[in-house]
């Protein structure tokens, strides 16, 4: 679907996210024919640049991080790039947008992408109101959406004083991943899955996003958020919503988001005894980290969804920095049959459906099968679906690309909503007010003591087993 004519205003246009994802992503959308027929991109940040300087910055970003090099199509794309120095007065940005709109003619839509720290968002919203740039516009906001229930409500009130909820697109790039969307497709398009997607057949669900990276240069951000605010509320809970939702009445944006929010409404408040917090050894020595920091770099937790479908089924979530291996997995573990005919299985975990949520991921099912020979001996077996082996990737969009295009056409299907965000902070309130102490763990391990006990008698699904 080709969007209407647009002026795209990119706040934080010279930041890390813009350099790695947004500018290369916009160029890729242009190459795929998914940008408007007529558009302008107005970049703004505090870096002193002119139009040519911004075009050179964008070209370098595409060359370093883009899927496609700045080839023969670059000049046509670059002509649509202009720049406004954010250190100047707000009217300078309004004038830059006006020039872009005059070049397009008519009254094009505006898309404001706030690729800025959360603390800067209220000021930008006020600038958009004061300059009149909120008219005919939509706005993409980056996570986190507040740091607790109070700040989330305050941010939503600030936003809603200027924008209707229909104009706001709170972005979570996890939801833009093909593999995450395939949770919905595989479940609701296949009766073999949906018919057993409930407490009668499922023993527990695990969402696991371990990382090998440290915090790098993000100490200022990480010290104010930690792993729970950075990953659990904004990413893993959203995936949980996709997994646990009831079948929507249609695949419309409203129906899908409504069912996701119903899951959040059914979640029990998070208890400190259901959470293990960890901090990797050496974290306090990272530049910018307080020497007595209590910030967690690891979280493992148990969550309850208290409705008819999921009563009694625990959801286990785990994420952390400097772990043994990176991965993004959703594991559905099914109940064992009421009576075993074949005895012990040597520790092999059967009856699992594992979604690899990484780029280019897939789905695998583990089960037991008879080993050839005269005896009834069982061995591990697996079915496996891989995107790269099954589909051509020519139409594949990276998560940010997909979500930018959705915002351009006004499709909220893969975005979060104000009431859902506030509900997640509400269920998090008991933990945030009284968190368990952090436990130190060694870099390259699978986290601190107590992690395995949390999920026992089950076990964590490790990436290498996917």
């Amino acid at each position: 679907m080709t969007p209407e004519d647009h002026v795209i205003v990119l706040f934080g246009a010279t930041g890390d996210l813009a350099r790695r994802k947004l500018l290369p992503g916009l160029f890729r959308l242009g190459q795929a024919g998914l940008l408007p027929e007529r558009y302008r991109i107005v970049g703004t940040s505090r870096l002193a640049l002119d139009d040519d300087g911004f075009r050179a910055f964008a070209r370098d970003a595409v060359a370093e991080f883009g899927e496609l090099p700045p080839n023969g199509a670059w000049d046509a794309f670059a002509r649509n790039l202009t720049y406004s120095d954010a250190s100047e007065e707000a009217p300078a940005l309004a004038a830059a947008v006006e020039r872009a709109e005059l070049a397009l003619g008519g009254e094009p839509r505006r898309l404001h992408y706030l690729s800025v720290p959360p603390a800067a968002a209220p000021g930008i919203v006020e600038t958009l109101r004061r300059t009149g740039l909120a008219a005919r516009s939509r706005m993409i906001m980056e996570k986190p959406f507040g740091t607790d229930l109070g700040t989330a409500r305050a941010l939503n009130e600030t936003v809603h004083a200027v924008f209707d909820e229909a104009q706001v697109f709170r972005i979570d790039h996890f939801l833009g991943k093909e593999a995450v969307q395939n949770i919905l497709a595989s479940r609701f398009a296949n009766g073999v899955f949906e018919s057993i997607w409930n407490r009668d057949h499922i023993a527990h669900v695990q969402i696991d996003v371990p990382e090998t990276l440290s915090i790098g240069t993000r100490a200022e951000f990480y010290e104010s958020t930690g792993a729970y605010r950075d990953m659990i509320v904004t990413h893993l809970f959203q995936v949980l919503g996709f997994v646990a939702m009831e079948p929507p009445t249609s695949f419309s944006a409203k129906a899908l988001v409504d069912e996701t929010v119903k899951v959040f409404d059914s979640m029990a408040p998070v208890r400190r005894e259901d959470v293990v917090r960890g901090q990797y050894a050496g974290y306090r020595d990272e530049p910018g980290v307080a020497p007595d920091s209590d910030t967690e770099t690891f979280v493992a937790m148990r969550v309850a969804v208290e409705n008819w479908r999921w009563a009694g089924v625990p959801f286990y979530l785990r994420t952390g920095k400097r772990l043994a291996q990176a991965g993004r997995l959703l594991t559905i573990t099914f109940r064992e049959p009421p009576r075993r005919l074949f005895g012990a299985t040597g520790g092999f975990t059967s009856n699992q459906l594992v979604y690899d949520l990484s780029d280019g991921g897939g789905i695998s099912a583990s089960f037991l099968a008879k080993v050839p020979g005269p005896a009834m001996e069982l061995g591990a077996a697996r079915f496996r679906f891989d995107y790269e082996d099954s589909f051509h990737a020519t139409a594949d969009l990276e998560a940010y690309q997909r979500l930018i295009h959705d915002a351009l056409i006004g499709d909220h299907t893969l975005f979060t909503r104000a009431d859902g965000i506030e509900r997640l902070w509400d269920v998090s309130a008991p933990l945030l007010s009284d968190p368990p102490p952090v436990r130190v763990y060694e870099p390259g391990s699978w986290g601190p003591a107590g992690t395995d006990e949390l999920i026992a008698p089950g076990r964590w699904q490790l990436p290498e087993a996917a």
Side-chain angles (χ1 to χ4, degrees):
M1 181 177 179
T2 302
E4 304 170 73
D5 293 348
H6 263 79
V7 172
I8 302 169
V9 184
L10 181 54
F11 292 88
T14 58
D16 188 57
L17 179 63
R19 186 170 63 94
R20 290 186 298 106
K21 295 293 185 181
L22 305 184
L23 290 168
L26 287 165
F27 179 65
R28 170 75 171 85
L29 287 174
Q31 293 288 79
L34 295 174
L35 285 181
E37 292 183 8
R38 296 187 303 167
Y39 67 92
R40 291 291 187 276
I41 299 170
V42 180
T44 181
S45 76
R46 296 196 176 278
L47 189 63
L49 290 175
D50 57 13
D51 290 351
D52 288 339
F54 180 52
R55 289 167 185 152
F57 176 90
R59 182 184 178 91
D60 289 344
V62 171
E64 184 174 359
F65 296 103
E67 303 162 57
L68 301 171
N71 49 26
W74 173 257
D75 289 343
F77 178 77
R79 284 194 292 270
N80 293 306
L81 300 177
T82 61
Y83 189 78
S84 176
D85 189 339
S87 63
E88 300 177 7
E89 294 297 320
L93 175 61
V97 173
E98 183 179 6
R99 289 192 297 271
E101 292 178 345
L102 287 173
L104 296 179
E107 292 189 335
R109 276 197 171 273
R110 300 161 180 162
L111 177 65
H112 305 292
Y113 196 124
L114 275 58
S115 176
V116 297
I124 292 176
V125 170
E126 172 59 22
T127 295
L128 296 177
R129 182 200 64 78
R130 182 161 39 90
T131 57
L133 292 178
R136 307 191 313 274
S137 70
R138 301 183 179 112
M139 179 174 64
I140 298 177
M141 298 184 68
E142 279 287 340
K143 71 167 182 79
F145 314 106
T147 56
D148 55 24
L149 180 58
T151 56
R153 283 177 173 166
L155 179 58
N156 282 331
E157 288 173 2
T158 298
V159 169
H160 289 155
V162 180
F163 293 92
D164 292 334
E165 181 65 20
Q167 296 175 271
V168 182
F169 292 75
R170 297 171 186 80
I171 195 167
D172 174 7
H173 72 273
F174 264 50
L175 300 189
K177 292 179 175 294
E178 291 284 352
V180 173
Q181 297 168 52
N182 201 35
I183 298 170
L184 301 178
S186 63
R187 176 184 168 190
F188 294 127
N190 298 285
V192 66
F193 291 151
E194 175 56 22
S195 63
I196 58 174
W197 208 269
N198 55 59
R199 67 180 184 276
D200 293 331
H201 301 281
I202 293 176
H204 69 263
V205 177
Q206 180 185 330
I207 304 170
D208 197 13
V209 185
E211 299 179 280
T212 57
L213 300 174
S214 69
I215 63 164
T217 60
R218 302 173 69 215
E220 181 178 0
F221 167 79
Y222 212 80
E223 277 286 89
S224 63
T225 57
Y228 186 85
R229 290 177 171 91
D230 183 39
M231 291 294 294
I232 299 292
V233 177
T234 52
H235 292 323
L236 273 66
F237 277 168
Q238 298 298 333
V239 176
L240 187 156
F242 270 29
V243 175
M245 71 166 63
E246 294 296 318
T249 55
S250 70
F251 203 68
S252 68
K254 184 179 185 305
L256 199 69
V257 176
D258 281 348
E259 293 303 332
T260 306
V261 173
K262 288 179 184 177
V263 174
F264 301 155
D265 286 339
S266 300
M267 288 171 59
V270 179
R271 307 180 305 172
R272 78 190 308 265
E273 57 264 36
D274 291 332
V275 178
V276 175
R277 294 171 70 237
Q279 184 184 93
Y280 65 78
Y283 172 77
R284 294 178 181 179
D285 298 326
E286 301 278 13
V289 172
D292 59 348
S293 174
D294 188 52
T295 300
E296 78 281 352
T297 62
F298 172 96
V299 177
M301 60 187 301
R302 179 170 49 234
V303 178
V305 179
E306 297 179 330
N307 60 20
W308 281 85
R309 182 181 291 266
W310 297 110
V313 178
F315 287 73
Y316 295 103
L317 281 57
R318 178 177 66 165
T319 186
K321 301 287 188 183
R322 297 297 306 272
L323 296 177
Q325 191 173 344
R328 294 171 179 174
L329 299 177
L330 162 67
T331 304
I332 311 294
T333 299
F334 294 95
R335 296 189 183 280
E336 294 288 345
R339 181 170 178 269
R340 284 186 176 274
L341 297 180
F342 301 105
T345 56
F348 174 74
T349 304
S350 62
N351 302 315
Q352 287 186 331
L353 190 64
V354 181
Y355 289 76
D356 182 352
L357 304 181
S358 304
D359 294 333
I363 306 173
S364 63
S366 59
F367 60 99
L368 293 167
K370 181 183 179 300
V371 175
M376 180 56 76
E377 180 183 352
L378 301 182
R382 175 170 297 175
F383 291 130
R384 173 87 190 182
F385 153 76
D386 288 291
Y387 269 100
E388 294 179 353
D389 294 339
S390 301
F391 299 111
H392 295 294
T394 53
D396 185 30
L397 294 178
E398 192 268 345
Y400 275 102
Q401 299 163 14
R402 165 67 190 271
L403 294 173
I404 291 171
H405 179 260
D406 284 356
L408 285 168
I409 64 175
D411 185 349
H412 275 89
T413 303
L414 300 176
F415 292 86
T416 57
R417 202 168 65 192
D419 55 341
I421 291 294
E422 291 184 14
R423 174 58 185 168
L424 291 177
W425 285 121
D426 190 21
V427 301
S428 301
L431 174 67
L432 296 178
S433 64
D434 185 26
V438 294
R439 305 176 183 181
V440 176
Y441 64 94
E442 290 300 316
S445 71
W446 282 110
T451 304
D452 291 339
E453 289 77 3
L454 183 70
I455 199 172
R459 66 178 183 87
W460 295 101
Q461 179 71 24
L462 305 182
E464 65 264 21

